[in-house]
Amino acid sequence: MHTITFLGTSAGVPTRFRNVSALALQPENSKKWMLFDCGEATQHQIMKTSFSAYNLERIFITHLHGDHVYGLCGLLASKGMQRSESPLEIYGPKGLQEMLECVMQHSQLNLPFDLKIFEIDGKSSMRFGAMKIEVVELSHSITSYGFVISFDNMPGRFDARKAKEMNIPEGPLYARLKAGENITLSDGRTIKGSELVGPPRKGARIVIGGDNDNPLLFSPYAPFDLMIHEATYTQRDFERLEKKFRHTTAKQLAEAAQEMGVDWLILNHISPRYDKNGRVVELLEEAKRYFGGRVDIAYDFMKIEI
Ligand SMILES: [Zn+2]
Ligand SMILES: [Zn+2]
């Protein structure tokens, strides 16, 4: 299973309960992990988990608003102070390179590791092993992107318990059976790998959205097993706002997810107003009225498997 850990789920400013945007993705069977967005103090959030800066392989930045990117320089500097030499790649919108280089130059930040910055656009698409990432241009007050992550199909699960019950000695034989080979044991029995390995598993397709006022922009890539997207306000609160910011409401997201065929919807980037008096439930209730699948509200350090 791939794991996703929410490191910051608040919109715009941190609250006592939520930090600003950041999310960790760790693919199945991988020590390495990836970070999506890096709001201020993300390094503090990381310290409260088992993730290390050493194993952080790539960072993806959805857009250059401070609540998504102001933690980057601190994170880089700390990794440098730890003398961590593992290379790091950062993918983000145009301007990211200049932004980082300016800070690094003026604060004399010399990193002991190889840092590569890649500026992306709405046509970018990357492949890392069994994972493909497609960049989708979104609709927000500045250039903002979302990521569609498609994992290749995975081999079926190996039933180690059944193998033990069949008195197959643990060790290299298990690896051969896992690979689907047939083996002959010293007692003469022949065991087929297919007896112990389940059917291939369909690779997950996940959306991680940046700030955006039009979630249907993801529809060319639908359907999705999991969609993580901002739902900054309820519809009612949004309509009462004097100045409209370009964000999505719970209702709007739920309707879009219903239309696109989403199995599991997670509302993220929550306005600080909902942290008071348990109001966050209003977002959940609104989303449930318009979306029939599984729906959750993200909270800091929530960990899910997919
Ligand atoms: Zn934001
Ligand atoms: Zn924004």
Side-chain angles (χ1 to χ4, degrees):
M1 301 290 251
H2 316 294
T3 65
I4 290 173
T5 308
F6 292 85
L7 298 171
T9 56
S10 184
V13 295
T15 72
R16 285 170 62 202
F17 309 100
R18 297 175 188 270
N19 199 41
V20 281
S21 290
L23 176 160
L25 168 65
Q26 186 167 37
E28 181 169 308
N29 299 324
S30 170
K31 252 194 189 156
K32 299 284 182 186
W33 60 287
M34 283 161 276
L35 183 65
F36 288 81
D37 279 339
C38 187
E40 183 190 343
T42 294
Q43 59 170 327
H44 297 249
Q45 300 291 88
I46 293 170
M47 277 191 278
K48 293 172 190 162
T49 69
S50 55
F51 294 113
S52 70
Y54 182 84
N55 283 325
L56 174 57
E57 198 172 25
R58 291 185 185 92
I59 302 177
F60 299 88
I61 300 293
T62 60
H63 67 301
L64 298 182
H65 275 157
D67 57 322
H68 299 257
V69 77
Y70 284 171
L72 211 41
C73 293
L75 181 70
L76 295 178
S78 297
K79 179 172 156 70
M81 299 276 273
Q82 292 159 7
R83 315 301 311 160
S84 166
E85 288 178 1
S86 60
L88 183 63
E89 295 177 354
I90 308 182
Y91 297 79
K94 188 169 170 8
L96 178 67
Q97 177 135 12
E98 192 185 344
M99 194 174 178
L100 289 177
E101 279 174 0
C102 183
V103 174
M104 283 162 69
Q105 184 197 331
H106 289 288
S107 60
Q108 292 280 303
L109 177 60
N110 297 306
L111 300 171
F113 56 88
D114 186 21
L115 176 68
K116 285 205 178 79
I117 301 166
F118 299 95
E119 291 188 340
I120 54 174
D121 60 32
K123 292 186 211 78
S124 304
S125 149
M126 296 83 89
R127 177 167 272 280
F128 308 108
M131 185 178 73
K132 182 180 171 193
I133 300 189
E134 290 164 288
V135 179
V136 182
E137 184 159 2
L138 303 177
S139 163
H140 190 44
S141 51
I142 60 171
T143 303
S144 179
Y145 298 113
F147 302 99
V148 174
I149 304 169
S150 310
F151 287 95
D152 293 346
N153 289 342
M154 315 268 284
R157 289 193 188 287
F158 178 69
D159 193 341
R161 215 175 72 181
K162 191 172 165 194
K164 258 183 211 143
E165 281 168 9
M166 290 166 77
N167 289 319
I168 303 169
E170 272 183 71
L173 288 178
Y174 276 31
R176 289 177 56 196
L177 288 166
K178 267 186 208 176
E181 283 182 42
N182 300 338
I183 57 161
T184 306
L185 298 175
S186 52
D187 61 14
R189 282 184 296 156
T190 297
I191 314 281
K192 286 185 189 158
S194 57
E195 285 176 53
L196 290 159
V197 176
R201 291 170 294 151
K202 199 184 141 287
R205 197 164 172 80
I206 300 168
V207 172
I208 299 178
D211 287 7
N212 177 29
D213 68 4
N214 182 9
L216 283 171
L217 287 169
F218 287 103
S219 58
Y221 303 86
F224 305 113
D225 299 295
L226 170 66
M227 183 174 197
I228 299 168
H229 194 281
E230 70 134 301
T232 309
Y233 312 106
T234 61
Q235 191 65 33
R236 202 171 82 136
D237 287 339
F238 181 75
E239 276 158 19
R240 285 176 177 174
L241 288 177
E242 256 175 50
K243 182 173 176 345
K244 306 277 191 236
F245 295 95
R246 295 181 67 177
H247 289 295
T248 296
T249 65
K251 171 179 189 262
Q252 191 193 350
L253 177 61
E255 284 176 339
Q258 187 67 38
E259 191 179 322
M260 291 189 288
V262 170
D263 276 356
W264 186 5
L265 179 63
I266 300 184
L267 281 59
N268 195 14
H269 195 268
I270 309 300
S271 163
R273 74 192 65 205
Y274 300 104
D275 266 354
K276 298 188 190 93
N277 310 320
R279 284 198 62 204
V280 75
V281 74
E282 293 173 29
L283 289 165
L284 187 65
E285 282 168 357
E286 183 171 295
K288 281 183 173 168
R289 275 203 292 280
Y290 301 95
F291 178 69
R294 175 174 179 187
V295 54
D296 289 292
I297 308 276
Y299 56 87
D300 286 20
F301 304 112
M302 168 171 158
K303 187 176 171 180
I304 60 162
E305 291 188 329
I306 176 121

